Amino acid sequence: MYGALWRVLPGPWWVRLLVVLVLVAAVLYALFFYVFPWVSDIVYPQEVTVE
């Protein structure tokens, strides 16, 4: 999958690397500021009980 993504990206290797780094940063930003807070409202780790 990563090889196919690398072949689809335009430009020389350093442009591809820059695009991949920007995409990874955008995904991490979305996870930390949108997805994880939303999930923390649904899942309450303090209320977990093990019997």
Side-chain angles (χ1 to χ4, degrees):
M1 177 180 160
Y2 298 113
L5 176 64
W6 189 255
R7 286 189 296 273
V8 170
L9 292 174
W13 71 268
W14 59 272
V15 174
R16 293 178 185 183
L17 182 64
L18 183 63
V19 169
V20 167
L21 290 176
V22 169
L23 287 174
V24 167
V27 167
L28 288 175
Y29 179 84
L31 283 173
F32 277 105
F33 290 102
Y34 295 106
V35 176
F36 292 156
W38 174 71
V39 170
S40 71
D41 290 338
I42 297 171
V43 178
Y44 299 107
Q46 293 84 9
E47 297 179 6
V48 174
T49 58
V50 178
E51 296 180 9

